Amino acid sequence: AALQMAVSAAGWVFYHCSDHQLPLLFARKGVPDQCWVCKMAEQPDGSSAVALTKTSLDAWEYGHYFAFVARRDKNVTVRCKLCPGQKHLSTSVNSTSNLSKHLERQHGSTKLVSKNIRGEREDGTVTAPTPKQPRLNFQQPQVTTKAELNRLVASFIVEDMLPISTVESPSFRNILRRIPGSGSERLPSDSKTFANYLDQCYEKMETQLKQTFERLEFVSTTADIWTTCNKSFLGMTCHWIDPDNFQREKAAIACKRIKGRHTYDVVASEIEQGHSSYGLAHKVTATVTDNGSNFVKAFKMSECQATAFDGEEEEMDDGDQEPVFTDMEDVLCSGDDTEGQFSLPPHFRCASHTLNLISTNDVNKWFTANSESKAMYRSATAKCSALWTKASFVVPTSTRWNSFHDALSRIIALPLHTLNSLCSRLEIKAFTEKEYQFLREYCAVMKPITVALDILQGEDHCYYGALLPTLESLMSRTVALKPGLSRMTAGLADAIVEAGLFYISMHATLNANLVSNSSVSDFFDFGEEDDVTPYDSETEVIDFLKSGSEMEVLNRFPTIKTLFMRYNTAIPSSAPVERLFSRGSLVLSPRRNRLSDKRFERVLLMRYNHFFDKCVN
């Protein structure tokens, strides 16, 4: 009673605020709808209100849409002014994430206006904020040395495949002058001097590759021939598995100009020279090429020469023969006896190229033998060709083996009525239901081949041991499609399976010949003096099969690790050397036809191996 009399004498009354839900609050007479806490909270210059409600809500640009209710420890209760009724929300003192989510979910269609938090006056002028004390920077600007600048410029020229004359461009030199420490004396003087610097970098890269190959026991290579701008080049890439982390590594080792005819002896000589230049003659487990006749004959002749040489050694060992003396002058002067003699590693045919031949040649042979399916195929693909010409569909290319299937899949992804509506607008003859069904079945039958090609063309995670499982899966999936095919494409699946089985049998024969080689047989000779029994090897295999699937478990099984490194170093496809040629087409463009063969090879190899990126990083 005494408190009520004192409050009443001071002009205040007891009032229950519905916003704050507190029983004892004071409000001035005449303002019964707002308590003094609410009144002071809305005062822009009320220091007491700021002290009571100092939260992250005060500095938020959408904080004026919420009314402060209460604060409990580290949480704040507010009321949304946009929601009907008394909508109370809880948020942290230092965060407004809950309130932001509430505005997005409940008032997403409402145009929110940011409140004035930067001191804008009513007349539109802005008051300057109180400047903070600037942070002093006592660090000197980093100066770029001449060597660093040369590496950066070389990385820019080589990685972006730009002409070497770019270093003489005035605009490019103006950019370099803006780099701290790169005065005129640090800039590359001219293109000739910069070309000499690139030669030094290439020699350094070549030395690093030779040092890497010296510590390796097994490597594999790929080779192919590329013709552009009336010039022919033999490209070679090298692949190996790091024995420490079992990661696949690769490097381009050659892209040399070939003049004249691409005969088997020329191809064999260039491949042998490429292996010898890096000391890989006795480390290459296999060389992967396409099915070109010159490549096949080169490796076949090398194998025949090796077999004949082994036969001569066996005949000499059978009986004691008198030594035969030969005049060295006759041997050095006459080169006919040694012509065509070369030594090449085992030959693996590109699995991707073989599957491509199956999807084209063998499929075309089947179409030729089935006139009804052939007519349907020609009619449907002719309309697709018209669509590729007039519409913005994916167009098949000759360099990508899966592009034809991908282009057809984009077309049949459209419903038939939508596809025919598009054809009528482009004035193309509409597809019939039979043609549309034929294309769908054709793409379904060819889908396993495209998936197998994508797997076998990989470089980082594809090993030669994955070839046979991929082919087996390809055959089984193709056979499984046969019950759902119509009479038009039922025989197509059989043709693909028959060609695939022939390739699998040929691959198994090649592997059998490889394992039966004397050098390979010596690999499995563990010697009589070693305390190693067949039971130990069998136990190692059983323990390996029981272990996990991680590559690191090979370190616990040395014999299996050696076998893995030997037979999985080769890759099943020659796609890496094709990718080398793809980059080469960007370097040796028609506008750069004066680029020398030596300069082209060096720039391309440094680009493929990312030499400057590794140096800069």
Short mmCIF file of all heavy atoms in Angstrom, two decimals, residues 150-151 153-159 162-165 167 191-206 592 595 598-599 602-604 606 611-612:
data_model
loop_
_atom_site.label_atom_id
_atom_site.label_comp_id
_atom_site.label_asym_id
_atom_site.label_seq_id
_atom_site.Cartn_x
_atom_site.Cartn_y
_atom_site.Cartn_z
N ASN A 150 60.43 -15.20 -64.44
CA ASN A 150 60.59 -16.04 -65.63
C ASN A 150 59.76 -17.31 -65.52
O ASN A 150 59.15 -17.75 -66.51
CB ASN A 150 62.07 -16.40 -65.81
CG ASN A 150 62.89 -15.22 -66.31
OD1 ASN A 150 62.35 -14.29 -66.92
ND2 ASN A 150 64.18 -15.24 -66.04
N ARG A 151 59.72 -17.90 -64.31
CA ARG A 151 58.90 -19.10 -64.15
C ARG A 151 57.42 -18.78 -64.32
O ARG A 151 56.68 -19.56 -64.93
CB ARG A 151 59.16 -19.73 -62.77
CG ARG A 151 60.47 -20.47 -62.65
CD ARG A 151 60.46 -21.40 -61.45
NE ARG A 151 60.28 -20.66 -60.21
CZ ARG A 151 61.27 -20.19 -59.46
NH1 ARG A 151 62.52 -20.37 -59.83
NH2 ARG A 151 61.01 -19.54 -58.34
N VAL A 153 56.06 -16.31 -66.07
CA VAL A 153 55.79 -16.01 -67.48
C VAL A 153 55.82 -17.30 -68.30
O VAL A 153 54.96 -17.52 -69.17
CB VAL A 153 56.81 -15.00 -68.01
CG1 VAL A 153 56.64 -14.79 -69.52
CG2 VAL A 153 56.64 -13.65 -67.29
N ALA A 154 56.77 -18.18 -68.02
CA ALA A 154 56.85 -19.44 -68.76
C ALA A 154 55.62 -20.30 -68.49
O ALA A 154 55.09 -20.95 -69.40
CB ALA A 154 58.12 -20.19 -68.38
N SER A 155 55.16 -20.33 -67.24
CA SER A 155 53.95 -21.09 -66.92
C SER A 155 52.75 -20.52 -67.66
O SER A 155 51.91 -21.28 -68.16
CB SER A 155 53.71 -21.05 -65.41
OG SER A 155 52.50 -21.69 -65.07
N PHE A 156 52.67 -19.20 -67.74
CA PHE A 156 51.55 -18.58 -68.45
C PHE A 156 51.59 -18.90 -69.94
O PHE A 156 50.57 -19.22 -70.55
CB PHE A 156 51.60 -17.07 -68.23
CG PHE A 156 50.61 -16.29 -69.04
CD1 PHE A 156 49.26 -16.37 -68.76
CD2 PHE A 156 51.02 -15.48 -70.09
CE1 PHE A 156 48.32 -15.66 -69.51
CE2 PHE A 156 50.10 -14.77 -70.84
CZ PHE A 156 48.74 -14.85 -70.55
N ILE A 157 52.77 -18.85 -70.54
CA ILE A 157 52.90 -19.09 -71.98
C ILE A 157 52.64 -20.56 -72.31
O ILE A 157 51.89 -20.88 -73.24
CB ILE A 157 54.29 -18.67 -72.47
CG1 ILE A 157 54.50 -17.17 -72.27
CG2 ILE A 157 54.50 -19.04 -73.93
CD1 ILE A 157 53.59 -16.29 -73.07
N VAL A 158 53.23 -21.46 -71.55
CA VAL A 158 53.15 -22.89 -71.87
C VAL A 158 51.79 -23.46 -71.50
O VAL A 158 51.18 -24.19 -72.29
CB VAL A 158 54.29 -23.65 -71.17
CG1 VAL A 158 54.13 -25.16 -71.36
CG2 VAL A 158 55.63 -23.20 -71.71
N GLU A 159 51.30 -23.17 -70.30
CA GLU A 159 50.04 -23.75 -69.86
C GLU A 159 48.85 -23.26 -70.68
O GLU A 159 47.92 -24.01 -70.95
CB GLU A 159 49.80 -23.43 -68.38
CG GLU A 159 50.77 -24.12 -67.43
CD GLU A 159 50.65 -25.63 -67.48
OE1 GLU A 159 49.53 -26.14 -67.68
OE2 GLU A 159 51.68 -26.30 -67.32
N LEU A 162 50.25 -20.29 -75.56
CA LEU A 162 50.34 -19.03 -76.28
C LEU A 162 51.64 -18.99 -77.08
O LEU A 162 52.61 -19.68 -76.76
CB LEU A 162 50.28 -17.86 -75.30
CG LEU A 162 49.01 -17.75 -74.45
CD1 LEU A 162 49.15 -16.61 -73.46
CD2 LEU A 162 47.79 -17.55 -75.33
N PRO A 163 51.70 -18.14 -78.11
CA PRO A 163 52.96 -18.00 -78.86
C PRO A 163 54.06 -17.41 -77.98
O PRO A 163 53.80 -16.62 -77.06
CB PRO A 163 52.59 -17.04 -80.00
CG PRO A 163 51.11 -17.12 -80.12
CD PRO A 163 50.60 -17.41 -78.74
N ILE A 164 55.29 -17.81 -78.27
CA ILE A 164 56.42 -17.29 -77.49
C ILE A 164 56.59 -15.80 -77.72
O ILE A 164 57.09 -15.08 -76.84
CB ILE A 164 57.70 -18.08 -77.85
CG1 ILE A 164 57.50 -19.57 -77.55
CG2 ILE A 164 58.91 -17.56 -77.09
CD1 ILE A 164 58.68 -20.43 -77.91
N SER A 165 56.16 -15.30 -78.85
CA SER A 165 56.27 -13.86 -79.12
C SER A 165 55.39 -13.02 -78.21
O SER A 165 55.45 -11.78 -78.27
CB SER A 165 55.90 -13.59 -80.58
OG SER A 165 54.56 -14.02 -80.86
N VAL A 167 55.83 -12.49 -75.18
CA VAL A 167 56.68 -11.75 -74.25
C VAL A 167 57.12 -10.41 -74.84
O VAL A 167 57.58 -9.53 -74.10
CB VAL A 167 57.92 -12.58 -73.87
CG1 VAL A 167 57.50 -13.85 -73.15
CG2 VAL A 167 58.75 -12.93 -75.10
N SER A 191 61.88 -12.68 -77.62
CA SER A 191 61.37 -14.06 -77.75
C SER A 191 62.52 -15.06 -77.89
O SER A 191 62.40 -16.20 -77.43
CB SER A 191 60.43 -14.16 -78.95
OG SER A 191 61.10 -13.77 -80.15
N LYS A 192 63.61 -14.68 -78.52
CA LYS A 192 64.72 -15.61 -78.69
C LYS A 192 65.36 -15.95 -77.35
O LYS A 192 65.66 -17.11 -77.05
CB LYS A 192 65.77 -15.00 -79.64
CG LYS A 192 66.90 -15.95 -79.97
CD LYS A 192 67.86 -15.34 -80.98
CE LYS A 192 68.98 -16.31 -81.33
NZ LYS A 192 69.93 -15.72 -82.33
N THR A 193 65.55 -14.94 -76.50
CA THR A 193 66.12 -15.20 -75.18
C THR A 193 65.17 -16.04 -74.33
O THR A 193 65.60 -16.95 -73.61
CB THR A 193 66.40 -13.87 -74.47
OG1 THR A 193 67.25 -13.07 -75.29
CG2 THR A 193 67.05 -14.09 -73.12
N PHE A 194 63.88 -15.76 -74.45
CA PHE A 194 62.91 -16.54 -73.69
C PHE A 194 62.84 -17.97 -74.19
O PHE A 194 62.62 -18.90 -73.41
CB PHE A 194 61.53 -15.88 -73.79
CG PHE A 194 60.50 -16.50 -72.91
CD1 PHE A 194 60.53 -16.33 -71.54
CD2 PHE A 194 59.47 -17.27 -73.45
CE1 PHE A 194 59.58 -16.91 -70.72
CE2 PHE A 194 58.52 -17.84 -72.64
CZ PHE A 194 58.57 -17.67 -71.28
N ALA A 195 63.03 -18.17 -75.50
CA ALA A 195 63.05 -19.53 -76.05
C ALA A 195 64.24 -20.32 -75.50
O ALA A 195 64.13 -21.52 -75.22
CB ALA A 195 63.09 -19.49 -77.57
N ASN A 196 65.37 -19.66 -75.34
CA ASN A 196 66.52 -20.33 -74.74
C ASN A 196 66.24 -20.72 -73.29
O ASN A 196 66.69 -21.78 -72.82
CB ASN A 196 67.74 -19.42 -74.82
CG ASN A 196 68.19 -19.17 -76.24
OD1 ASN A 196 67.97 -20.00 -77.12
ND2 ASN A 196 68.82 -18.03 -76.48
N TYR A 197 65.49 -19.87 -72.59
CA TYR A 197 65.11 -20.21 -71.22
C TYR A 197 64.19 -21.43 -71.20
O TYR A 197 64.32 -22.30 -70.32
CB TYR A 197 64.42 -19.02 -70.57
CG TYR A 197 63.83 -19.32 -69.21
CD1 TYR A 197 64.63 -19.46 -68.09
CD2 TYR A 197 62.45 -19.47 -69.06
CE1 TYR A 197 64.09 -19.74 -66.84
CE2 TYR A 197 61.90 -19.75 -67.81
CZ TYR A 197 62.72 -19.89 -66.71
OH TYR A 197 62.19 -20.17 -65.49
N LEU A 198 63.28 -21.53 -72.15
CA LEU A 198 62.41 -22.71 -72.24
C LEU A 198 63.21 -23.97 -72.53
O LEU A 198 62.88 -25.05 -72.03
CB LEU A 198 61.34 -22.49 -73.32
CG LEU A 198 60.27 -21.44 -73.03
CD1 LEU A 198 59.28 -21.36 -74.18
CD2 LEU A 198 59.52 -21.75 -71.74
N ASP A 199 64.27 -23.84 -73.34
CA ASP A 199 65.13 -25.00 -73.61
C ASP A 199 65.80 -25.49 -72.33
O ASP A 199 65.92 -26.69 -72.09
CB ASP A 199 66.17 -24.65 -74.66
CG ASP A 199 65.54 -24.42 -76.03
OD1 ASP A 199 64.43 -24.94 -76.26
OD2 ASP A 199 66.16 -23.72 -76.86
N GLN A 200 66.25 -24.56 -71.51
CA GLN A 200 66.85 -24.95 -70.24
C GLN A 200 65.84 -25.64 -69.32
O GLN A 200 66.17 -26.61 -68.64
CB GLN A 200 67.43 -23.71 -69.55
CG GLN A 200 68.54 -23.03 -70.32
CD GLN A 200 69.00 -21.74 -69.65
OE1 GLN A 200 68.53 -21.40 -68.57
NE2 GLN A 200 69.92 -21.02 -70.30
N CYS A 201 64.61 -25.14 -69.33
CA CYS A 201 63.57 -25.77 -68.52
C CYS A 201 63.25 -27.17 -69.03
O CYS A 201 63.01 -28.09 -68.23
CB CYS A 201 62.31 -24.90 -68.52
SG CYS A 201 62.51 -23.30 -67.70
N TYR A 202 63.25 -27.35 -70.34
CA TYR A 202 62.98 -28.68 -70.90
C TYR A 202 64.08 -29.66 -70.50
O TYR A 202 63.79 -30.82 -70.15
CB TYR A 202 62.86 -28.60 -72.42
CG TYR A 202 62.66 -29.94 -73.07
CD1 TYR A 202 61.41 -30.55 -73.10
CD2 TYR A 202 63.74 -30.63 -73.63
CE1 TYR A 202 61.23 -31.79 -73.68
CE2 TYR A 202 63.56 -31.87 -74.21
CZ TYR A 202 62.31 -32.45 -74.24
OH TYR A 202 62.13 -33.68 -74.81
N GLU A 203 65.32 -29.23 -70.55
CA GLU A 203 66.42 -30.11 -70.15
C GLU A 203 66.30 -30.48 -68.67
O GLU A 203 66.60 -31.61 -68.27
CB GLU A 203 67.75 -29.42 -70.43
CG GLU A 203 68.01 -29.22 -71.93
CD GLU A 203 69.28 -28.44 -72.18
OE1 GLU A 203 69.92 -28.01 -71.17
OE2 GLU A 203 69.65 -28.24 -73.35
N LYS A 204 65.87 -29.53 -67.86
CA LYS A 204 65.67 -29.82 -66.45
C LYS A 204 64.55 -30.83 -66.26
O LYS A 204 64.66 -31.76 -65.44
CB LYS A 204 65.35 -28.53 -65.70
CG LYS A 204 65.19 -28.70 -64.21
CD LYS A 204 64.92 -27.37 -63.52
CE LYS A 204 64.76 -27.55 -62.02
NZ LYS A 204 64.47 -26.25 -61.34
N MET A 205 63.44 -30.68 -66.99
CA MET A 205 62.34 -31.64 -66.91
C MET A 205 62.79 -33.02 -67.37
O MET A 205 62.43 -34.05 -66.77
CB MET A 205 61.17 -31.16 -67.77
CG MET A 205 59.94 -32.06 -67.71
SD MET A 205 58.74 -31.69 -69.00
CE MET A 205 59.62 -32.27 -70.45
N GLU A 206 63.59 -33.07 -68.44
CA GLU A 206 64.07 -34.36 -68.94
C GLU A 206 64.97 -35.04 -67.91
O GLU A 206 64.89 -36.26 -67.72
CB GLU A 206 64.84 -34.12 -70.25
CG GLU A 206 65.09 -35.37 -71.06
CD GLU A 206 65.74 -35.06 -72.39
OE1 GLU A 206 66.56 -34.11 -72.43
OE2 GLU A 206 65.44 -35.73 -73.38
N ARG A 592 50.31 -20.89 -86.57
CA ARG A 592 51.65 -21.08 -85.99
C ARG A 592 52.39 -22.17 -86.77
O ARG A 592 53.14 -22.97 -86.20
CB ARG A 592 51.55 -21.46 -84.51
CG ARG A 592 50.81 -20.44 -83.66
CD ARG A 592 50.72 -20.87 -82.22
NE ARG A 592 52.02 -20.97 -81.60
CZ ARG A 592 52.23 -21.39 -80.35
NH1 ARG A 592 51.19 -21.76 -79.60
NH2 ARG A 592 53.43 -21.45 -79.84
N LEU A 595 56.28 -22.77 -86.52
CA LEU A 595 56.89 -23.33 -85.32
C LEU A 595 57.71 -24.56 -85.68
O LEU A 595 57.23 -25.47 -86.36
CB LEU A 595 55.80 -23.70 -84.31
CG LEU A 595 56.22 -24.09 -82.89
CD1 LEU A 595 56.85 -22.89 -82.19
CD2 LEU A 595 55.03 -24.60 -82.10
N LYS A 598 61.16 -29.19 -83.31
CA LYS A 598 61.79 -29.36 -82.00
C LYS A 598 61.12 -28.48 -80.95
O LYS A 598 60.85 -28.91 -79.83
CB LYS A 598 63.28 -29.02 -82.12
CG LYS A 598 64.05 -29.20 -80.83
CD LYS A 598 65.53 -28.87 -81.05
CE LYS A 598 66.33 -29.04 -79.76
NZ LYS A 598 67.76 -28.70 -79.98
N ARG A 599 60.83 -27.22 -81.33
CA ARG A 599 60.17 -26.32 -80.39
C ARG A 599 58.77 -26.80 -80.06
O ARG A 599 58.32 -26.74 -78.91
CB ARG A 599 60.11 -24.92 -80.99
CG ARG A 599 59.41 -23.89 -80.10
CD ARG A 599 60.24 -23.57 -78.91
NE ARG A 599 61.55 -23.09 -79.32
CZ ARG A 599 62.66 -23.18 -78.60
NH1 ARG A 599 62.58 -23.75 -77.41
NH2 ARG A 599 63.81 -22.72 -79.04
N ARG A 602 58.94 -29.75 -77.54
CA ARG A 602 59.32 -29.37 -76.18
C ARG A 602 58.19 -28.62 -75.47
O ARG A 602 57.92 -28.87 -74.29
CB ARG A 602 60.59 -28.52 -76.24
CG ARG A 602 61.80 -29.31 -76.73
CD ARG A 602 63.09 -28.55 -76.53
NE ARG A 602 64.25 -29.40 -76.78
CZ ARG A 602 65.51 -29.07 -76.50
NH1 ARG A 602 65.76 -27.87 -75.97
NH2 ARG A 602 66.49 -29.90 -76.73
N VAL A 603 57.55 -27.71 -76.16
CA VAL A 603 56.45 -26.97 -75.55
C VAL A 603 55.30 -27.90 -75.21
O VAL A 603 54.68 -27.81 -74.14
CB VAL A 603 56.00 -25.82 -76.47
CG1 VAL A 603 54.73 -25.16 -75.94
CG2 VAL A 603 57.10 -24.78 -76.62
N LEU A 604 55.00 -28.83 -76.13
CA LEU A 604 53.89 -29.75 -75.89
C LEU A 604 54.16 -30.68 -74.72
O LEU A 604 53.28 -30.93 -73.88
CB LEU A 604 53.62 -30.56 -77.16
CG LEU A 604 52.50 -31.61 -77.08
CD1 LEU A 604 51.18 -30.95 -76.71
CD2 LEU A 604 52.38 -32.38 -78.37
N MET A 606 56.16 -30.16 -72.14
CA MET A 606 56.10 -29.41 -70.88
C MET A 606 54.65 -29.08 -70.51
O MET A 606 54.31 -29.05 -69.33
CB MET A 606 56.93 -28.13 -71.00
CG MET A 606 58.43 -28.37 -70.99
SD MET A 606 59.42 -26.86 -70.88
CE MET A 606 59.07 -26.12 -72.47
N PHE A 611 54.89 -29.08 -66.16
CA PHE A 611 56.19 -28.86 -65.51
C PHE A 611 56.22 -27.55 -64.73
O PHE A 611 56.68 -27.52 -63.59
CB PHE A 611 57.30 -28.88 -66.57
CG PHE A 611 58.65 -28.50 -66.06
CD1 PHE A 611 59.36 -29.35 -65.23
CD2 PHE A 611 59.22 -27.27 -66.38
CE1 PHE A 611 60.60 -29.00 -64.74
CE2 PHE A 611 60.46 -26.92 -65.90
CZ PHE A 611 61.16 -27.78 -65.08
N PHE A 612 55.71 -26.48 -65.31
CA PHE A 612 55.80 -25.17 -64.66
C PHE A 612 54.82 -25.05 -63.51
O PHE A 612 55.07 -24.34 -62.55
CB PHE A 612 55.58 -24.06 -65.68
CG PHE A 612 56.69 -23.93 -66.67
CD1 PHE A 612 56.55 -24.38 -67.97
CD2 PHE A 612 57.90 -23.36 -66.30
CE1 PHE A 612 57.58 -24.26 -68.88
CE2 PHE A 612 58.94 -23.24 -67.20
CZ PHE A 612 58.78 -23.69 -68.50
#
